[in-house]
Amino acid sequence: MGNAVVTLPGDTEVLITREFEVPAHLVYRAWTTPELIKRWWGGDRGEVTSVEVDLRVGGRWRYVMTANGGFEVGFHGVYREIVPNELIVSTEVFEGAPDGESLNTLTLTEKEGRTTLEILVRHAKREHRDAHINSGMEVGMQESMDHLEAVAKSLR
C-alpha cells in the first residue's frame, strides 16, 4: 500500500498525510492504546518491546523497538494537547539524537466513514528536519501506516 504522502511545507516542517478506510475513533484507538501500538508502530523493521502511554496533557509517552539489525531504537515525548478522536499535540525525541526535539500535531478528520490523518512535525532547526527526512524514515513510516490501518480495521 504505502500511500502516505510526505511534503515539506516549511523550512523546519514535515507533513505526513494518509487516508484510512475506517472511522476516526478506530484510528485514534489504535494510535493511543499500548497493546495496539505494539502491533503497528514498528512496521516490518523489528519488534516493539515497550510502549508506555500516559494519555493526558502533561503525560509522557515512550516507544522502544529492537530493530531487525539487533539494535534498540527509542522515542519519547510529552502530550501537550488532546482532543479524543481528533487531535494530539506532543513532543517527540529520537533517543539516538536527543537534541532534536520536535513538536508533532496529529489531526484526524473523518468524512463518510473514512479518516484523513495528518501529522505536522515541527523541528527546531532545518538541519533536524533534513536529518529526519534523510534518515530513510519514509519506508518504515509507510509500513507502520499500513499496519496501523490493518489494526484499526480489526477493531470494527
Side-chain angles (χ1 to χ4, degrees):
M1 301 247 285
N3 60 359
V5 176
V6 177
T7 57
L8 306 176
D11 283 350
T12 60
E13 298 174 330
V14 178
L15 178 63
I16 299 164
T17 306
R18 162 80 189 244
E19 191 170 300
F20 295 88
E21 296 179 11
V22 290
H25 75 277
L26 297 180
V27 177
Y28 182 84
R29 190 167 139 205
W31 190 273
T32 58
T33 306
E35 55 271 18
L36 299 176
I37 294 165
K38 283 184 177 181
R39 291 171 46 193
W40 66 263
W41 182 72
D44 299 323
R45 304 280 148 180
E47 179 188 353
V48 179
T49 56
S50 175
V51 174
E52 301 166 27
V53 173
D54 182 5
L55 190 62
R56 61 183 175 82
V57 173
R60 298 186 174 276
W61 65 270
R62 184 169 187 254
Y63 306 163
V64 179
M65 69 180 276
T66 300
N68 293 334
F71 55 94
E72 193 171 87
V73 179
F75 291 82
H76 68 268
V78 176
Y79 295 106
R80 297 266 179 92
E81 186 179 350
I82 299 169
V83 178
N85 305 319
E86 294 178 19
L87 177 76
I88 298 173
V89 179
S90 65
T91 60
E92 179 177 79
V93 175
F94 168 47
E95 294 172 1
D99 65 336
E101 179 178 274
S102 64
L103 183 66
N104 298 357
T105 302
L106 168 82
T107 306
L108 300 174
T109 307
E110 183 177 332
K111 186 175 180 183
E112 298 175 7
R114 296 175 66 87
T115 301
T116 300
L117 172 149
E118 287 187 338
I119 305 167
L120 180 63
V121 181
R122 290 186 182 97
H123 290 279
K125 300 177 182 175
R126 184 181 187 138
E127 305 87 79
H128 295 165
R129 187 226 35 202
D130 292 348
H132 181 189
I133 289 297
N134 295 327
S135 69
M137 61 67 82
E138 187 169 355
V139 174
M141 179 272 302
Q142 295 285 4
E143 292 170 0
S144 293
M145 292 289 159
D146 289 347
H147 289 285
L148 174 62
E149 182 162 29
V151 169
K153 283 181 175 179
S154 78
L155 301 174
R156 287 195 270 213

